[in-house]
Amino acid sequence: MPQQPTFSLDQIQAPIAAEMEEFEYKFRQSMRTKVLLLDKIMGYIVKRKGKQIRPMFVFLTARAARPEPNTGDPLPDASFRGAALIELLHTATLVHDDVVDESNYRRGFFSINALWKNKIAVLVGDYLLSRGLLLSLENDDFDLLKIVSNAVRELSEGELLQIEKARKLDITEDVYFDIIRQKTASLIASCTAVGAASVGADKETIERARLFGEKVGIAFQIKDDLFDYGTAEIGKPVGIDIKEKKMTLPLIYALQHAGWLEKRQVIFNVKNNEGHRDRVQQVIEFVKKSGGLDYAIATMKKYRDDALDILHTFPASPSRTSLEELINYTIEREK
């Protein structure tokens, strides 16, 4: 059973504590609007913010990738705008996702569409998207906009690829990695690339930072897959991915190593599990028995180690140490 991380997010944030505080204030101000209904919704969005992992990746990478001898100086405004751009565009995609998925909750809070209906939620998503684009254009942050726009494109493609493949449940390991590289890893990769780009790092450094974020993002998603088979109270019900017919790495591995008859039975259980908790449980037991969990854990650790190898090409600094701790936090977390 994974242990809880020995370090807290507050400890990890220490080298960028001032930036995080300043960012929170600036981001809240940037969400203000004269339209009363919109202002109320923006206030609700700001209030339900999560752990702030994305801005942390932006600021820590900005400090770690900053060219010498400026490592101790305050971060430039571009770093704050980059972090805000990612938050705005990511929040827009989440608001639209909740409409598409007909989801009433997001991180324990009511979703925008649950409180204000679909039409308003779609318009709010559009508004957030336009705020992000304008923030970049008004400040000539074309390099940052290019990085984040690419991530949004990849995110959409990954989501559509998953929908296309979910119909037949014929996802191979290669397709699985294509999906999570686009759906999950592209966002973390955009955070680390934006962090490096915002402090004027060269192209090679920005690409190294991007690849580092991608490896972290893939490890993060595999950890999320593993929650489907756990017992921890994580806010994500056990077996939810199976119920939603999502092909995760432990299940893909287990099916690859199953006999024809067993494979057919498991796929039947995944496809026809509505109202049958026993079928979901049978799938979970099959994956555990087939070594799917052990394989996924080993693969997650490999991506973690690859990320650390890239990170160690940057000079040693408190920010680099915090990034190491943040990687371990993401794969040792219990929620």
Side-chain angles (χ1 to χ4, degrees):
M1 188 77 176
Q3 295 180 331
Q4 277 290 77
T6 51
F7 30 77
S8 69
L9 281 178
D10 285 344
Q11 288 171 294
I12 295 169
Q13 275 186 24
I16 51 158
E19 283 89 351
M20 290 299 291
E21 197 173 322
E22 190 179 339
F23 173 72
E24 198 164 322
Y25 172 77
K26 283 182 171 177
F27 189 65
R28 197 180 293 124
Q29 292 303 110
S30 76
M31 298 284 261
R32 288 254 163 100
T33 164
K34 290 174 183 170
V35 179
L36 200 60
L37 172 62
L38 197 50
D39 196 53
K40 189 176 181 181
I41 297 170
M42 292 301 107
Y44 181 72
I45 288 171
V46 169
K47 192 174 76 174
R48 63 173 202 176
K49 65 180 172 53
K51 299 187 186 93
Q52 299 289 77
I53 298 283
R54 288 174 299 276
M56 285 170 67
F57 269 114
V58 173
F59 297 135
L60 286 170
T61 308
R63 286 216 165 276
R66 178 170 247 187
E68 297 285 358
N70 307 312
T71 47
D73 294 352
L75 288 176
D77 285 344
S79 299
F80 293 93
R81 292 196 299 270
L85 172 62
I86 289 167
E87 286 296 275
L88 286 164
L89 267 59
H90 178 57
T91 307
T93 62
L94 294 183
V95 171
H96 284 161
D97 275 355
D98 288 339
V99 174
V100 172
D101 297 340
E102 298 177 345
S103 175
N104 289 327
Y105 297 95
R106 167 76 59 183
R107 285 201 210 101
F109 287 89
F110 280 114
S111 60
I112 304 300
N113 50 297
L115 291 174
W116 286 283
K117 306 303 175 197
N118 285 350
K119 185 176 180 179
I120 289 173
V122 171
L123 292 169
V124 165
D126 293 346
Y127 174 78
L128 290 164
L129 195 61
S130 66
R131 281 301 280 259
L133 297 175
L134 284 169
L135 178 68
S136 297
L137 295 172
E138 285 164 0
N139 294 280
D140 294 341
D141 293 327
F142 302 116
D143 51 345
L144 306 185
L145 184 57
K146 188 175 179 181
I147 291 166
V148 181
S149 297
N150 252 325
V152 174
R153 174 185 59 79
E154 290 215 73
L155 211 142
S156 308
E157 285 179 359
E159 195 75 58
L160 287 163
L161 178 59
Q162 186 174 50
I163 291 167
E164 176 194 319
K165 293 293 181 182
R167 288 175 183 161
K168 293 182 182 175
L169 296 184
D170 63 349
I171 294 180
T172 62
E173 214 170 295
D174 286 346
V175 171
Y176 165 82
F177 281 110
D178 281 344
I179 289 169
I180 67 166
R181 194 173 285 111
Q182 291 185 300
K183 256 191 74 178
T184 305
S186 63
L187 188 67
I188 304 290
S190 73
C191 293
T192 50
V194 159
S198 71
V199 292
D202 59 42
K203 280 187 177 178
E204 184 274 330
T205 304
I206 294 168
E207 176 53 24
R208 232 182 331 140
R210 189 201 66 77
L211 194 58
F212 159 69
E214 185 178 274
K215 302 281 187 190
V216 175
I218 292 171
F220 181 93
Q221 182 57 54
I222 297 172
K223 176 65 176 184
D224 213 55
D225 289 356
L226 288 163
F227 283 145
D228 213 39
Y229 301 89
T231 53
E233 289 297 320
I234 53 164
K236 173 184 172 180
V238 172
I240 194 72
D241 287 338
I242 296 166
K243 285 174 190 160
E244 292 178 359
K245 303 175 181 55
K246 285 181 185 167
M247 296 291 279
T248 57
L249 187 60
L251 179 56
I252 291 166
Y253 175 86
L255 285 171
Q256 278 174 346
H257 294 81
W260 175 79
L261 196 62
E262 190 174 30
K263 187 174 181 178
R264 196 174 73 162
Q265 179 61 48
V266 172
I267 288 175
F268 175 84
N269 283 341
V270 174
K271 279 185 173 176
N272 303 281
N273 70 65
E274 289 91 346
H276 295 277
R277 288 181 62 182
D278 56 324
R279 288 182 185 171
V280 173
Q281 197 54 44
Q282 281 172 32
V283 175
I284 290 171
E285 292 307 320
F286 159 73
V287 170
K288 287 179 176 175
K289 181 190 73 182
S290 305
L293 297 191
D294 292 339
Y295 176 74
I297 289 166
T299 307
M300 175 183 72
K301 287 180 175 174
K302 182 190 177 301
Y303 275 97
R304 187 259 328 258
D305 293 345
D306 288 349
L308 287 171
D309 286 346
I310 297 169
L311 181 61
H312 289 152
T313 64
F314 291 90
S317 68
S319 295
R320 192 184 85 170
T321 302
S322 278
L323 280 168
E324 285 176 29
E325 291 171 352
L326 190 52
I327 295 169
N328 287 317
Y329 178 91
T330 60
I331 72 160
E332 290 172 17
R333 67 202 160 96
E334 290 295 348
K335 59 183 176 180

